[in-house]
């Protein structure tokens, strides 16, 4: 998966965000920032 795909999936799927270790109140990282 590319950084963009991971960001998109985290924004679209709560379960994927949990799988990645994010909490519901956290904002997913921006794929443009390094």
């Amino acid at each position: 998966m590319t950084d963009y795909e991971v960001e998109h999936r985290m924004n679209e799927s709560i379960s994927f965000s949990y799988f990645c270790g994010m909490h519901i109140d956290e904002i997913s990282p921006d794929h443009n920032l390094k």
Side-chain angles (χ1 to χ4, degrees):
M1 266 188 184
T2 65
D3 291 344
Y4 173 78
E5 291 171 325
V6 171
E7 177 187 358
H8 178 73
R9 294 286 300 278
M10 289 178 77
N11 289 326
E12 295 295 317
S13 173
I14 293 172
S15 60
F16 189 78
S17 295
Y18 281 133
F19 174 77
C20 292
M22 302 289 292
H23 295 282
I24 196 165
D25 59 346
E26 291 182 282
I27 298 171
S28 64
D30 186 351
H31 74 278
N32 288 318
L33 300 176
K34 299 235 177 199

